[in-house]
Amino acid sequence: MKNCERLANLALAGLTLAPLVVKVDPNLNVILTACLAVYVGCYRSVKPTPPLETMSKEHAMRFPFIGSAMLLSLFLLFKFLSKDLVNAVLTCYFFVLGTVALSATILPAMKRFLPKHWNEDLIIWRFPYFRSLEIEFTRSQIIAAIPGSFFCAWYASQKHWLANNILGLAFCIQGIEMLSLGSFKTGAILLTGLFVYDILWVFFTPVMVSVAKSFDAPIKLLFPTADSARPFSMLGLGDIVIPGIFVALALRFDASRGKESQYFKSAFSGYTVGLVLTIIVMNWFQAAQPALLYIVPAVMGFLALHCIWNREVKPLLEFDESNTEIKSQEGSTDEYSKKVE
């Protein structure tokens, strides 16, 4: 598993840098970059214990409404305030967030070259005058934050598309790695809600497209084109992370049973097919498309057909990652890790 992840990391890095030296078809670049980001994030999410943040059914049902409120708020900010002012504030926010995400993404690779106690010994820092607030970190995290902060400084000063994409990919990988849906039922609720959300805001209002074009921050991946009228193709990070956490759940479901990645392959294939359909329809109509309109049915459909074919609908619907964590604690963590790998 680790070898596959390393190869995917190298391929993702090469694909991200490729447009600097050779002409790359932006449509192909969108598909390969998004799929590799999902692949890397999924495999990084497979650990002896589930991801730290687990979404409940209630959160999944509320998420489209919260997302709609945030989207509309940003639209109004850009409409009534200076675009430069809003983007300046967002740049400061994403400088901090980007440093954290990029540091966490490169940390596993750096740990191998650092002393073991640097990776394990915790340093606790308490805020002055607010002693109850504290932050825990290791020396390795500090070392990883140095290149992360320099890179974010380059992004803030230049806003180069390459810097934007690297930060965006770090957000995607961290999002897929750290977030858990908990169960496929919660995942179905979330994806269905965002399926409707994406359609409404793209097809029936100008809000989504307007915010995407005005928002000068790494919330989307930019793919250079040869068209001067439209220099970049765009793909929102939500179109990678939201389906990605569902695909990652399928991989951890396979791993929890000690079997090959059979349902992961179905869900991942569904994501790829859905993304290809998005690109085809977008080019056919020459208009922005809600990617989740095509990705959500493909991911859920491929997975549903596979488990129906295997007659394993009940085990899949009853899967709960909180139970997986208990099992791994009762048994040997090493044995669980061997199953995963």
Side-chain angles (χ1 to χ4, degrees):
M1 185 195 76
K2 293 295 182 185
N3 289 334
C4 292
E5 186 186 329
R6 289 193 192 102
L7 288 172
N9 273 316
L10 290 171
L12 187 58
L15 190 62
T16 304
L17 295 169
L20 290 173
V21 291
V22 295
K23 275 190 175 182
V24 180
D25 183 88
N27 296 321
L28 181 63
N29 205 351
V30 169
I31 295 165
L32 292 178
T33 303
C35 289
L36 281 171
V38 169
Y39 188 90
V40 172
C42 287
Y43 271 95
R44 283 181 59 135
S45 77
V46 181
K47 300 170 183 177
T49 55
L52 298 175
E53 300 293 332
T54 302
M55 185 176 290
S56 66
K57 290 180 183 177
E58 292 74 19
H59 289 146
M61 287 187 281
R62 287 199 297 262
F63 196 88
F65 298 102
I66 296 170
S68 296
M70 291 181 64
L71 183 66
L72 190 57
S73 298
L74 285 169
F75 177 76
L76 293 173
L77 281 174
F78 283 116
K79 188 175 179 64
F80 295 109
L81 295 178
S82 165
K83 181 180 173 181
D84 292 336
L85 175 63
V86 175
N87 278 318
V89 174
L90 291 171
T91 297
C92 294
Y93 173 73
F94 278 96
F95 177 88
V96 177
L97 200 63
T99 301
V100 174
L102 195 58
S103 303
T105 303
I106 64 175
L107 183 60
M110 295 185 68
K111 277 183 174 180
R112 281 174 275 173
F113 304 101
L114 297 172
K116 188 176 180 181
H117 67 277
W118 284 25
N119 302 326
E120 297 174 351
D121 295 345
L122 283 176
I123 300 170
I124 301 175
W125 185 78
R126 291 182 174 85
F127 285 82
Y129 307 110
F130 299 95
R131 307 297 291 178
S132 59
L133 297 176
E134 60 184 36
I135 299 175
E136 293 183 351
F137 53 88
T138 62
R139 290 180 178 84
S140 297
Q141 288 172 323
I142 296 174
I143 298 299
I146 295 172
S149 58
F150 276 108
F151 188 89
C152 288
W154 175 52
Y155 165 76
S157 62
Q158 300 296 322
K159 296 294 181 74
H160 194 278
W161 64 264
L162 176 63
N164 175 91
N165 283 8
I166 290 175
L167 286 177
L169 289 170
F171 289 138
C172 288
I173 291 169
Q174 287 303 302
I176 297 170
E177 179 181 354
M178 302 298 292
L179 297 174
S180 169
L181 292 168
S183 70
F184 288 101
K185 292 177 184 177
T186 302
I189 293 170
L190 178 67
L191 263 62
T192 302
L194 291 174
F195 169 81
V196 176
Y197 158 91
D198 218 20
I199 294 171
L200 290 176
W201 286 111
V202 174
F203 281 155
F204 297 99
T205 75
V207 173
M208 180 81 79
V209 175
S210 175
V211 169
K213 290 180 178 178
S214 302
F215 205 111
D216 191 11
I219 61 159
K220 56 187 181 287
L221 299 184
L222 302 173
F223 301 91
T225 71
D227 185 356
S228 57
R230 191 172 64 100
F232 294 102
S233 290
M234 296 185 295
L235 181 68
L237 300 192
D239 299 325
I240 300 174
V241 176
I242 298 300
I245 57 178
F246 189 86
V247 177
L249 185 66
L251 180 59
R252 294 196 298 275
F253 173 63
D254 290 333
S256 70
R257 305 194 306 163
K259 296 185 177 181
E260 287 189 20
S261 309
Q262 51 177 346
Y263 290 118
F264 166 72
K265 289 175 182 176
S266 299
F268 185 75
S269 298
Y271 179 78
T272 305
V273 169
L275 194 57
V276 170
L277 280 173
T278 304
I279 299 300
I280 291 172
V281 176
M282 182 184 70
N283 283 287
W284 181 270
F285 290 103
Q286 289 295 303
Q289 296 293 316
L292 296 183
L293 169 63
Y294 311 98
I295 293 173
V296 168
V299 170
M300 294 177 64
F302 274 52
L303 185 64
L305 288 173
H306 193 170
C307 68
I308 290 170
W309 178 266
N310 286 351
R311 297 180 180 178
E312 291 188 323
V313 175
K314 188 176 179 182
L316 186 130
L317 291 177
E318 290 180 347
F319 177 67
D320 188 332
E321 283 208 288
S322 61
N323 295 332
T324 303
E325 183 179 8
I326 292 168
K327 287 176 184 176
S328 66
Q329 288 172 349
E330 290 173 348
S332 168
T333 301
D334 292 336
E335 288 178 9
Y336 183 89
S337 299
K338 286 176 184 176
K339 285 182 181 179
V340 170
E341 300 200 12

